[in-house]
Amino acid sequence: MTYGEKLVKVEPGGIEPVAPADKHGRPRQLFWTWTSPNLEFATIFLGVLAVSAFGLSFWQAAAALTLGNLLGAIAHGVLSARGPVHGVPQMVLGRAAFGYWGNVLPATLMSVMAGAGWFAVNSVSGAFALNSLTGLPVLLCLILVVGLQILIAFFGHNLVQAFERYAFPVLAVVFTITAVVIFAKAQPTQSTGGNLGGFLLAASAAFGYTAGWNPYAADYTRYLPANTSRRAVGWSAGSGLFLATTVLMLVGAASVTIGGSTSNNPTTVFTSHLPGWLAALTLLCIALGAVAANVLNVYSAALAFLTLGVKLPLAWRRAVVAAGFGVVGFILAWLGLSDAGHAYESFLLVIAYWVGPWLGVTLVDMHIRRGQQQLPLSDTSYRNWAGPVAMLAGMIVSIGLFANQSRYVGPVPEAVPWIGDITFLVGFAIAAVIYAVWPKPAMPSGHGKPGTDATPAAQQAQETT
């Protein structure tokens, strides 16, 4: 089924390699693909938490948030660059490092994180914004927001990319004006300073937010032509992600220094600092930004779910799974409306707990396989236990010893409170070292031969070379 550049057509299939005939697009589109979904209230609220919950001054928060975002954005650019050559989603690429069935571990976590966790978080912020703007019941606002998100994700890649493109100028202009007003009213020098523990908590949360997009990276670059510049892909994806997250997080941190409203609706508190007309536009863009984020979440969750080896005899299997995740995400969002702020803080840190070890394994494997065109992605007999063992070891040790949550504090931060939460960093290091030294399996028979088990895009790249 030819898909090409059609917008109002359901993307056929699931996680199969993109055929050369369907390849299209330019690297620059990745800038708005990753800017638009982060121009939303969830990004702002993390900046709010850095000051109000982690106890940092504005400038301390700015440094911590920038550091966390930078690390996540660099990794995102590196991972995005692989998509055009292999033409498959990020979780499918993970089969090289984790083995065909060992990859079930990160793919399951990815499905839950994107299709349930992030979808619920962003749906709640979009519903609150629409409620503040229109006065409609929050539940009705949630239904409207979720319905639009599912519809766009159901159609698939091309409509998702188009939505991010056309949402970008609207979101960029409104949030730029909002940022100018907030910074003009802020009093950053009057906020009290925090300690190293708060700094590390904020940096970890920011990394969790930005690196939380890493398992999606190749999902939105796999349709680019195989000979697309890897550097251009990496720069466009990474810079768009870093710019949007950093600017809006700093806006959120600055807004806390103003003081003001005590409303239970966090979007109302934030927009209370703005003139009436700008507050209305900002609320509208908060809802729009939530949709921009969640169409990526539900789309990528569906791809990750199919990577588990689920066989659906449907031409629209990805679309059907996306709709299913939308329904699950709606239920979770509905249940989480009453305690959104605290749930969000914990959720951000938990993301980093598994993304850190996964990233450690993935980046080391990429380094080992650099320049290799053929990857064992479809061979169900391929095993690479180094990946899941390293990731599990990184998660178990780092979470058990270093986690710093309200419901569980590991022995290290309990004994040394100023250490904050460095779970993601410890998990990354442990998983990377174990994977690097663990013996790797030989490539399955035939994988060393040109064109064998290579994706159509990889074969095309070889022919071009």
Side-chain angles (χ1 to χ4, degrees):
M1 297 175 64
T2 303
Y3 182 50
E5 300 185 47
K6 298 181 178 68
L7 293 181
V8 189
K9 178 178 181 178
V10 177
E11 179 185 0
I15 58 173
E16 300 82 4
V18 176
D22 284 331
K23 292 276 190 172
H24 63 277
R26 298 181 180 181
R28 67 187 183 196
Q29 73 190 43
L30 298 171
F31 183 82
W32 50 72
T33 296
W34 293 111
T35 301
S36 295
N38 289 288
L39 295 176
E40 55 145 353
F41 190 71
T43 317
I44 294 171
F45 196 55
L46 201 156
V48 172
L49 289 175
V51 177
S52 64
F54 302 145
L56 302 179
S57 70
F58 171 78
W59 295 110
Q60 290 172 333
L65 297 171
T66 301
L67 175 62
N69 290 334
L70 181 62
L71 294 175
I74 290 173
H76 195 72
V78 172
L79 295 173
S80 296
R82 300 181 82 193
V85 172
H86 298 288
V88 293
Q90 186 65 51
M91 284 294 106
V92 175
L93 286 172
R95 289 172 175 170
F98 291 87
Y100 189 92
W101 294 112
N103 192 53
V104 166
L105 171 63
T108 299
L109 291 171
M110 165 63 182
S111 298
V112 174
M113 177 191 75
W118 269 125
F119 189 86
V121 165
N122 290 319
S123 295
V124 168
S125 66
F128 274 135
L130 200 58
N131 165 258
S132 296
L133 179 63
T134 65
L136 294 172
V138 176
L139 181 57
L140 177 58
C141 293
L142 181 63
I143 293 172
L144 293 174
V145 168
V146 169
L148 180 59
Q149 292 165 168
I150 293 176
L151 178 64
I152 296 171
F154 183 85
F155 276 94
H157 177 272
N158 291 349
L159 188 58
V160 167
Q161 293 277 23
F163 182 83
E164 306 297 347
R165 176 181 180 181
Y166 292 113
F168 171 70
V170 178
L171 294 170
V173 170
V174 173
F175 277 118
T176 296
I177 299 172
T178 299
V180 171
V181 173
I182 293 293
F183 284 133
K185 291 185 176 183
Q187 301 177 28
T189 58
Q190 295 185 11
S191 55
T192 58
N195 54 27
L196 181 59
F199 181 92
L200 293 174
L201 277 169
S204 181
F207 174 81
Y209 184 95
T210 303
W213 293 112
N214 290 174
Y216 305 50
D219 298 1
Y220 303 97
T221 62
R222 73 192 202 279
Y223 273 88
L224 293 173
N227 58 359
T228 302
S229 166
R230 292 171 62 92
R231 179 170 296 182
V233 170
W235 272 108
S236 296
S239 62
L241 184 57
F242 176 75
L243 181 64
T245 54
T246 303
V247 170
L248 281 203
M249 285 182 195
L250 296 188
V251 170
S255 71
V256 180
T257 68
I258 303 174
S261 175
T262 58
S263 170
N264 291 327
N265 186 326
T267 58
T268 300
V269 174
F270 176 73
T271 55
S272 66
H273 306 305
L274 306 173
W277 64 271
L278 183 56
L281 284 176
T282 301
L283 287 169
L284 179 63
C285 284
I286 287 174
L288 181 62
V291 174
N294 269 352
V295 294
L296 299 189
N297 286 319
V298 73
Y299 178 83
S300 287
L303 296 178
F305 181 78
L306 292 174
T307 307
L308 299 177
V310 178
K311 303 295 184 182
L312 297 176
L314 302 169
W316 291 357
R317 49 191 171 275
R318 179 214 52 80
V320 172
V321 174
F325 271 111
V327 173
V328 173
F330 166 76
I331 295 172
L332 292 175
W334 181 19
L335 296 175
L337 286 173
S338 61
D339 190 24
H342 182 266
Y344 181 47
E345 175 187 338
S346 299
F347 176 63
L348 284 169
L349 292 171
V350 170
I351 290 174
Y353 290 173
W354 81 265
V355 171
W358 171 81
L359 198 54
V361 171
T362 301
L363 292 180
V364 170
D365 184 76
M366 286 180 62
H367 176 72
I368 293 173
R369 298 177 189 274
R370 61 191 182 279
Q372 183 177 315
Q373 296 287 356
Q374 290 79 35
L375 299 177
L377 304 180
S378 60
D379 189 342
T380 57
S381 66
Y382 175 67
R383 303 287 187 273
N384 186 3
W385 293 113
V389 169
M391 182 175 171
L392 279 173
M395 291 175 63
I396 293 171
V397 174
S398 63
I399 295 173
L401 297 179
F402 291 88
N404 195 347
Q405 292 276 325
S406 59
R407 296 184 179 180
Y408 173 75
V409 179
V412 175
E414 187 173 16
V416 190
W418 60 263
I419 204 170
D421 194 325
I422 58 171
T423 308
F424 84 90
L425 184 60
V426 174
F428 176 92
I430 291 174
V433 170
I434 292 177
Y435 189 79
V437 301
W438 193 283
K440 310 297 185 300
M443 289 282 282
S445 178
H447 281 286
K449 301 176 183 178
T452 306
D453 201 24
T455 62
Q459 293 178 13
Q460 182 188 48
Q462 287 180 336
E463 293 167 1
T464 303
T465 303

